[in-house]
Coordinates of all heavy atoms in Angstrom, one line a residue:
M139 N -11.2 -21.1 14.3 CA -11.0 -19.7 14.1 C -10.5 -19.5 12.6 O -9.7 -20.2 12.2 CB -10.0 -19.2 15.0 CG -10.4 -19.2 16.5 SD -9.1 -18.7 17.6 CE -8.0 -20.0 17.5
L140 N -11.1 -18.5 11.9 CA -10.6 -18.1 10.6 C -9.6 -17.0 10.7 O -9.7 -16.1 11.5 CB -11.8 -17.7 9.7 CG -12.8 -18.7 9.4 CD1 -13.9 -18.1 8.5 CD2 -12.2 -19.9 8.6
D141 N -8.6 -17.1 9.8 CA -7.5 -16.1 9.8 C -7.2 -15.9 8.3 O -7.3 -16.8 7.5 CB -6.4 -16.7 10.5 CG -5.3 -15.7 10.9 OD1 -5.5 -14.5 10.6 OD2 -4.2 -16.2 11.4
N142 N -6.7 -14.7 8.0 CA -6.2 -14.4 6.6 C -7.2 -14.8 5.5 O -6.8 -15.4 4.5 CB -4.9 -15.1 6.4 CG -3.8 -14.7 7.3 OD1 -3.8 -13.5 7.8 ND2 -2.8 -15.6 7.6
M143 N -8.5 -14.4 5.7 CA -9.4 -14.7 4.7 C -9.3 -13.8 3.5 O -9.1 -12.6 3.6 CB -10.8 -14.6 5.2 CG -11.9 -15.2 4.3 SD -13.4 -15.4 5.2 CE -14.3 -16.4 4.0
S144 N -9.3 -14.4 2.3 CA -9.2 -13.6 1.0 C -10.2 -14.1 0.1 O -11.0 -15.0 0.4 CB -7.8 -13.7 0.4 OG -7.6 -15.0 -0.1
A145 N -10.3 -13.6 -1.1 CA -11.2 -14.1 -2.1 C -10.9 -15.5 -2.6 O -11.8 -16.2 -3.0 CB -11.2 -13.2 -3.4
N146 N -9.7 -16.0 -2.4 CA -9.3 -17.4 -2.8 C -9.2 -18.4 -1.7 O -9.3 -19.6 -2.0 CB -8.0 -17.3 -3.5 CG -8.0 -16.5 -4.8 OD1 -9.0 -16.5 -5.5 ND2 -7.0 -15.7 -5.0
G147 N -9.1 -18.0 -0.5 CA -8.9 -19.0 0.6 C -8.8 -18.3 1.9 O -9.0 -17.1 2.1
F148 N -8.5 -19.2 2.9 CA -8.3 -18.7 4.3 C -7.5 -19.7 5.1 O -7.2 -20.8 4.6 CB -9.7 -18.6 5.0 CG -10.6 -19.8 4.9 CD1 -10.5 -20.8 5.8 CD2 -11.4 -20.0 3.8 CE1 -11.2 -22.0 5.8 CE2 -12.2 -21.2 3.8 CZ -12.1 -22.1 4.7
L149 N -7.1 -19.3 6.2 CA -6.3 -20.2 7.2 C -7.3 -20.5 8.3 O -7.9 -19.6 8.9 CB -5.1 -19.4 7.7 CG -4.2 -20.2 8.6 CD1 -3.6 -21.5 7.9 CD2 -3.0 -19.4 9.0
L150 N -7.5 -21.8 8.6 CA -8.4 -22.2 9.6 C -7.6 -22.8 10.8 O -6.7 -23.6 10.5 CB -9.3 -23.3 9.1 CG -10.2 -24.0 10.1 CD1 -11.3 -23.1 10.6 CD2 -10.8 -25.3 9.4
W151 N -7.8 -22.3 12.0 CA -7.2 -22.9 13.2 C -8.2 -23.7 14.0 O -9.3 -23.2 14.3 CB -6.6 -21.7 14.0 CG -5.5 -21.0 13.4 CD1 -5.6 -19.8 12.7 CD2 -4.2 -21.3 13.4 NE1 -4.4 -19.4 12.2 CE2 -3.5 -20.3 12.6 CE3 -3.4 -22.4 13.9 CZ2 -2.1 -20.4 12.4 CZ3 -2.0 -22.4 13.7 CH2 -1.4 -21.4 13.0
T152 N -7.9 -24.9 14.3 CA -8.8 -25.8 15.0 C -8.0 -26.8 15.8 O -6.8 -27.1 15.4 CB -9.8 -26.5 14.1 OG1 -10.6 -27.3 14.8 CG2 -9.1 -27.3 13.0
E153 N -8.6 -27.4 16.8 CA -7.9 -28.4 17.6 C -8.1 -29.8 16.9 O -7.4 -30.7 17.2 CB -8.5 -28.5 19.0 CG -8.2 -27.3 19.8 CD -8.8 -27.3 21.2 OE1 -9.7 -28.2 21.5 OE2 -8.4 -26.5 22.1
R154 N -9.0 -29.9 15.9 CA -9.3 -31.1 15.2 C -8.2 -31.4 14.2 O -7.6 -30.5 13.6 CB -10.6 -31.0 14.5 CG -11.8 -30.9 15.5 CD -13.0 -30.9 14.7 NE -14.2 -30.8 15.7 CZ -15.4 -31.3 15.4 NH1 -15.6 -31.8 14.2 NH2 -16.3 -31.1 16.3
T155 N -8.0 -32.7 13.9 CA -7.1 -33.1 12.8 C -7.9 -33.2 11.6 O -8.9 -33.9 11.5 CB -6.4 -34.4 13.2 OG1 -5.7 -34.3 14.4 CG2 -5.4 -34.8 12.1
I156 N -7.4 -32.5 10.5 CA -8.2 -32.5 9.2 C -7.2 -32.9 8.1 O -6.1 -32.3 7.9 CB -8.7 -31.1 8.9 CG1 -9.6 -30.7 10.0 CG2 -9.5 -31.2 7.6 CD1 -10.1 -29.2 9.8
P157 N -7.4 -34.0 7.4 CA -6.5 -34.4 6.4 C -6.5 -33.5 5.2 O -7.5 -32.9 4.8 CB -7.0 -35.8 5.9 CG -8.0 -36.2 7.0 CD -8.5 -35.0 7.6
V158 N -5.3 -33.3 4.5 CA -5.2 -32.6 3.3 C -6.2 -33.2 2.3 O -6.2 -34.5 2.2 CB -3.8 -32.5 2.8 CG1 -3.7 -31.9 1.4 CG2 -2.9 -31.7 3.7
G159 N -6.9 -32.4 1.5 CA -7.9 -32.9 0.5 C -9.3 -33.0 1.1 O -10.2 -33.2 0.3
S160 N -9.5 -32.8 2.4 CA -10.8 -32.7 2.9 C -11.6 -31.5 2.4 O -11.0 -30.4 2.3 CB -10.7 -32.7 4.5 OG -10.1 -33.8 5.0
R161 N -12.9 -31.7 2.2 CA -13.7 -30.6 1.8 C -14.6 -30.2 3.0 O -14.9 -31.1 3.8 CB -14.6 -31.0 0.6 CG -13.8 -31.3 -0.6 CD -14.5 -31.5 -1.9 NE -15.0 -30.1 -2.3 CZ -16.1 -29.9 -2.9 NH1 -16.9 -30.9 -3.2 NH2 -16.5 -28.7 -3.3
M162 N -14.9 -28.9 3.1 CA -15.7 -28.5 4.2 C -16.6 -27.3 3.8 O -16.4 -26.7 2.7 CB -14.8 -28.0 5.3 CG -14.0 -26.8 5.0 SD -12.9 -26.2 6.3 CE -11.7 -27.5 6.2
F163 N -17.7 -27.1 4.6 CA -18.6 -26.0 4.4 C -18.5 -25.1 5.6 O -18.5 -25.6 6.7 CB -20.0 -26.6 4.3 CG -21.1 -25.5 4.2 CD1 -21.3 -24.8 3.0 CD2 -21.8 -25.1 5.3 CE1 -22.2 -23.8 2.9 CE2 -22.7 -24.1 5.2 CZ -23.0 -23.5 4.0
I164 N -18.2 -23.8 5.3 CA -18.0 -22.8 6.4 C -19.1 -21.8 6.2 O -19.4 -21.3 5.1 CB -16.7 -22.1 6.3 CG1 -15.5 -23.1 6.4 CG2 -16.5 -21.0 7.3 CD1 -15.2 -23.7 7.7
S165 N -19.8 -21.4 7.3 CA -20.8 -20.3 7.3 C -20.3 -19.3 8.4 O -20.2 -19.6 9.6 CB -22.1 -20.9 7.7 OG -23.1 -19.8 7.7
V166 N -20.1 -18.1 7.9 CA -19.7 -17.0 8.8 C -20.8 -16.0 9.0 O -21.3 -15.4 8.0 CB -18.4 -16.2 8.3 CG1 -18.0 -15.1 9.2 CG2 -17.3 -17.2 8.0
K167 N -21.3 -15.9 10.2 CA -22.5 -15.1 10.5 C -22.0 -13.7 10.8 O -21.2 -13.5 11.7 CB -23.3 -15.7 11.6 CG -23.9 -17.0 11.2 CD -24.7 -17.6 12.3 CE -25.2 -19.0 11.9 NZ -25.8 -19.7 12.9
P168 N -22.6 -12.7 10.2 CA -22.2 -11.3 10.4 C -22.8 -10.8 11.8 O -23.7 -11.4 12.3 CB -22.8 -10.5 9.3 CG -24.0 -11.3 8.8 CD -23.6 -12.8 9.1
D169 N -22.2 -9.7 12.3 CA -22.7 -9.1 13.5 C -24.2 -8.6 13.3 O -25.0 -8.6 14.3 CB -21.8 -8.0 14.0 CG -20.5 -8.5 14.4 OD1 -20.4 -9.7 14.9 OD2 -19.5 -7.7 14.4
E170 N -24.4 -8.0 12.2 CA -25.8 -7.4 11.9 C -26.7 -8.5 11.4 O -26.4 -9.2 10.4 CB -25.6 -6.3 10.8 CG -24.7 -5.2 11.2 CD -25.1 -4.5 12.4 OE1 -26.3 -4.3 12.6 OE2 -24.3 -4.0 13.2
E171 N -27.8 -8.7 12.1 CA -28.8 -9.8 11.7 C -29.4 -9.6 10.3 O -29.7 -10.6 9.7 CB -29.9 -9.9 12.8 CG -29.4 -10.5 14.1 CD -30.5 -10.8 15.0 OE1 -31.6 -11.0 14.5 OE2 -30.3 -10.8 16.2
E172 N -29.5 -8.4 9.8 CA -30.1 -8.2 8.5 C -29.2 -8.6 7.4 O -29.6 -8.7 6.2 CB -30.6 -6.8 8.3 CG -29.6 -5.7 8.4 CD -29.3 -5.2 9.8 OE1 -30.0 -5.6 10.8 OE2 -28.5 -4.3 10.0
E173 N -27.9 -8.8 7.6 CA -26.9 -9.2 6.6 C -26.9 -10.7 6.5 O -27.0 -11.4 7.5 CB -25.5 -8.7 7.0 CG -25.4 -7.1 6.9 CD -24.0 -6.7 7.3 OE1 -23.0 -7.4 7.0 OE2 -23.9 -5.5 7.7
A174 N -26.7 -11.2 5.3 CA -26.7 -12.6 5.0 C -25.3 -13.2 5.4 O -24.3 -12.5 5.3 CB -26.9 -12.9 3.5
P175 N -25.3 -14.4 5.9 CA -24.0 -15.0 6.2 C -23.2 -15.3 5.0 O -23.7 -15.4 3.9 CB -24.4 -16.3 6.9 CG -25.8 -16.6 6.4 CD -26.4 -15.3 6.1
I176 N -21.9 -15.3 5.2 CA -20.9 -15.7 4.1 C -20.8 -17.2 4.2 O -20.4 -17.8 5.2 CB -19.6 -15.0 4.2 CG1 -19.7 -13.5 4.1 CG2 -18.6 -15.6 3.2 CD1 -18.5 -12.8 4.5
E177 N -21.1 -17.9 3.1 CA -21.1 -19.4 3.1 C -20.1 -19.8 2.0 O -20.3 -19.4 0.8 CB -22.5 -20.0 2.9 CG -23.4 -19.6 4.1 CD -24.8 -20.0 3.9 OE1 -25.2 -20.2 2.7 OE2 -25.4 -20.3 4.9
V178 N -19.2 -20.6 2.3 CA -18.2 -21.1 1.3 C -18.0 -22.6 1.5 O -18.1 -23.2 2.6 CB -16.8 -20.4 1.4 CG1 -17.0 -18.9 1.2 CG2 -16.1 -20.6 2.7
T179 N -17.6 -23.2 0.3 CA -17.2 -24.6 0.3 C -15.7 -24.5 0.0 O -15.3 -23.8 -0.9 CB -17.9 -25.4 -0.8 OG1 -19.3 -25.4 -0.6 CG2 -17.4 -26.9 -0.8
A180 N -14.9 -25.2 0.8 CA -13.4 -25.1 0.7 C -12.8 -26.5 0.8 O -13.3 -27.4 1.3 CB -12.9 -24.2 1.7
T181 N -11.5 -26.6 0.3 CA -10.7 -27.8 0.4 C -9.4 -27.5 1.1 O -8.8 -26.5 0.8 CB -10.4 -28.3 -1.0 OG1 -11.6 -28.6 -1.7 CG2 -9.6 -29.6 -1.0
V182 N -9.0 -28.4 2.0 CA -7.8 -28.2 2.8 C -6.6 -28.5 1.8 O -6.6 -29.6 1.2 CB -7.7 -29.1 4.0 CG1 -6.3 -29.0 4.6 CG2 -8.8 -28.8 5.0
I183 N -5.7 -27.6 1.6 CA -4.6 -27.8 0.6 C -3.3 -27.9 1.3 O -2.3 -28.3 0.7 CB -4.6 -26.7 -0.5 CG1 -4.4 -25.3 0.1 CG2 -5.8 -26.8 -1.4 CD1 -4.2 -24.2 -1.0
R184 N -3.2 -27.5 2.6 CA -1.9 -27.6 3.3 C -2.1 -27.5 4.8 O -3.1 -27.0 5.2 CB -0.9 -26.5 2.8 CG -1.3 -25.1 3.3 CD -0.2 -24.1 2.9 NE -0.6 -22.8 3.3 CZ -0.5 -22.2 4.5 NH1 0.1 -22.9 5.4 NH2 -0.9 -21.0 4.7
I185 N -1.2 -28.0 5.5 CA -1.2 -27.9 7.0 C 0.0 -27.1 7.4 O 1.1 -27.3 6.9 CB -1.0 -29.3 7.6 CG1 -2.2 -30.2 7.2 CG2 -1.0 -29.2 9.2 CD1 -2.1 -31.7 7.6
S186 N -0.3 -26.1 8.2 CA 0.8 -25.2 8.7 C 1.8 -25.9 9.6 O 1.3 -26.7 10.4 CB 0.2 -24.0 9.4 OG 1.2 -23.2 10.0
P187 N 3.1 -25.7 9.4 CA 4.1 -26.3 10.3 C 4.0 -25.8 11.7 O 4.5 -26.4 12.7 CB 5.4 -26.0 9.6 CG 5.2 -24.8 8.8 CD 3.7 -24.8 8.4
E188 N 3.4 -24.6 11.9 CA 3.3 -24.0 13.2 C 2.0 -24.4 13.9 O 1.0 -24.7 13.2 CB 3.3 -22.4 13.1 CG 4.5 -21.8 12.5 CD 4.3 -20.3 12.3 OE1 3.5 -19.7 13.0 OE2 5.0 -19.8 11.4
K189 N 2.0 -24.3 15.2 CA 0.7 -24.5 16.0 C 0.5 -23.3 16.9 O 1.5 -22.6 17.2 CB 0.9 -25.7 16.9 CG 0.7 -27.1 16.2 CD 0.8 -28.2 17.1 CE -0.4 -28.3 18.0 NZ -0.4 -29.5 18.9
R190 N -0.7 -23.0 17.2 CA -1.1 -21.9 18.1 C -1.7 -22.6 19.3 O -2.9 -23.0 19.3 CB -2.1 -21.0 17.5 CG -1.5 -20.1 16.5 CD -2.6 -19.0 16.1 NE -2.0 -18.1 15.1 CZ -2.7 -17.2 14.5 NH1 -4.0 -17.1 14.8 NH2 -2.2 -16.4 13.6
G191 N -0.9 -22.9 20.3 CA -1.3 -23.6 21.5 C -1.7 -25.0 21.0 O -0.9 -25.8 20.4
A192 N -2.9 -25.4 21.2 CA -3.4 -26.8 20.8 C -4.0 -26.7 19.4 O -4.5 -27.7 18.9 CB -4.4 -27.3 21.8
H193 N -4.0 -25.6 18.7 CA -4.6 -25.4 17.4 C -3.7 -25.7 16.3 O -2.5 -25.2 16.2 CB -5.2 -24.0 17.3 CG -6.4 -23.8 18.2 ND1 -6.2 -23.2 19.4 CD2 -7.7 -24.0 18.1 CE1 -7.3 -23.1 20.0 NE2 -8.3 -23.6 19.2
F194 N -4.1 -26.5 15.3 CA -3.4 -26.7 14.0 C -3.9 -25.7 13.0 O -5.1 -25.3 13.0 CB -3.7 -28.1 13.5 CG -3.2 -29.2 14.4 CD1 -4.1 -29.8 15.3 CD2 -1.9 -29.7 14.4 CE1 -3.7 -30.8 16.2 CE2 -1.5 -30.7 15.2 CZ -2.4 -31.3 16.1
G195 N -3.0 -25.3 12.1 CA -3.4 -24.4 11.0 C -3.6 -25.1 9.7 O -2.7 -25.9 9.3
Y196 N -4.7 -24.8 9.0 CA -4.9 -25.5 7.7 C -5.2 -24.4 6.7 O -6.1 -23.6 6.8 CB -6.2 -26.4 7.8 CG -6.0 -27.5 8.8 CD1 -6.4 -27.4 10.1 CD2 -5.3 -28.7 8.4 CE1 -6.2 -28.4 11.1 CE2 -5.1 -29.7 9.4 CZ -5.6 -29.5 10.7 OH -5.3 -30.5 11.6
G197 N -4.4 -24.4 5.6 CA -4.6 -23.6 4.4 C -5.7 -24.2 3.6 O -5.7 -25.3 3.2
C198 N -6.8 -23.4 3.3 CA -7.9 -23.9 2.6 C -8.2 -23.0 1.4 O -8.1 -21.8 1.4 CB -9.2 -23.8 3.5 SG -9.0 -24.8 5.0
L199 N -8.5 -23.7 0.3 CA -8.8 -23.0 -1.0 C -10.3 -23.0 -1.1 O -11.0 -24.0 -1.0 CB -8.2 -23.8 -2.1 CG -8.5 -23.3 -3.5 CD1 -7.9 -22.0 -3.8 CD2 -8.0 -24.3 -4.6
I200 N -10.9 -21.8 -1.4 CA -12.3 -21.7 -1.6 C -12.7 -22.2 -2.9 O -12.2 -21.8 -4.0 CB -12.8 -20.2 -1.4 CG1 -12.5 -19.7 0.0 CG2 -14.2 -20.0 -1.8 CD1 -12.8 -18.3 0.3
E201 N -13.7 -23.2 -3.0 CA -14.1 -23.8 -4.2 C -15.4 -23.1 -4.7 O -15.7 -23.1 -5.9 CB -14.3 -25.3 -4.0 CG -13.1 -26.0 -3.5 CD -12.0 -26.1 -4.5 OE1 -12.3 -26.0 -5.7 OE2 -10.9 -26.4 -4.1
G202 N -16.2 -22.6 -3.8 CA -17.5 -22.0 -4.1 C -18.0 -21.2 -3.0 O -17.6 -21.3 -1.9
A203 N -18.8 -20.2 -3.3 CA -19.3 -19.2 -2.3 C -20.7 -18.9 -2.6 O -21.2 -19.0 -3.7 CB -18.4 -18.0 -2.3
S204 N -21.4 -18.5 -1.5 CA -22.8 -18.0 -1.7 C -22.9 -16.8 -2.6 O -21.9 -16.1 -2.7 CB -23.4 -17.8 -0.3 OG -22.7 -16.7 0.3
E205 N -24.0 -16.6 -3.1 CA -24.3 -15.5 -4.1 C -23.9 -14.1 -3.4 O -23.4 -13.2 -4.1 CB -25.7 -15.4 -4.5 CG -26.1 -16.6 -5.3 CD -26.0 -16.5 -6.8 OE1 -26.1 -15.3 -7.2 OE2 -25.8 -17.5 -7.5
S206 N -24.1 -14.0 -2.1 CA -23.9 -12.7 -1.5 C -22.4 -12.4 -1.2 O -22.1 -11.3 -0.9 CB -24.7 -12.6 -0.2 OG -24.3 -13.6 0.7
Y207 N -21.6 -13.4 -1.4 CA -20.1 -13.3 -1.1 C -19.5 -12.7 -2.2 O -19.2 -12.3 -3.0 CB -19.5 -14.6 -0.7 CG -18.1 -14.5 -0.4 CD1 -17.6 -13.9 0.7 CD2 -17.2 -15.1 -1.3 CE1 -16.2 -13.8 1.0 CE2 -15.8 -15.1 -1.0 CZ -15.4 -14.4 0.1 OH -14.0 -14.4 0.4

């Protein structure tokens, strides 16, 4: 689950363990099919000390984004 998305980064909640420094590719599909998805490459820069149930929170810095973003 994505949370607090901004132009520079986002908070990712997942049950998976992700080490700080990991790079990832995220694609967010819009509700409208004619709109292009938002695609970003990001790096995990911190782990949240809080948990949401079984989910860990990861602060991610956006390194690159698709042209439409």
Side-chain angles (χ1 to χ4, degrees):
M139 295 178 287
L140 291 180
D141 194 6
N142 297 331
M143 191 165 191
S144 71
N146 298 321
F148 55 87
L149 185 59
L150 173 70
W151 293 95
T152 180
E153 292 179 347
R154 295 182 181 205
T155 302
I156 305 173
V158 171
S160 297
R161 295 191 75 211
M162 65 182 73
F163 175 79
I164 303 284
S165 180
V166 179
K167 297 179 182 172
D169 292 334
E170 304 295 325
E171 287 189 28
E172 61 272 358
E173 294 181 26
I176 298 170
E177 298 176 331
V178 298
T179 303
T181 301
V182 176
I183 59 171
R184 69 177 178 83
I185 301 172
S186 174
E188 300 175 23
K189 284 181 72 177
R190 287 188 179 173
H193 294 91
F194 298 94
Y196 298 94
C198 301
L199 176 66
I200 295 174
E201 303 290 342
S204 60
E205 296 267 333
S206 60
Y207 179 69

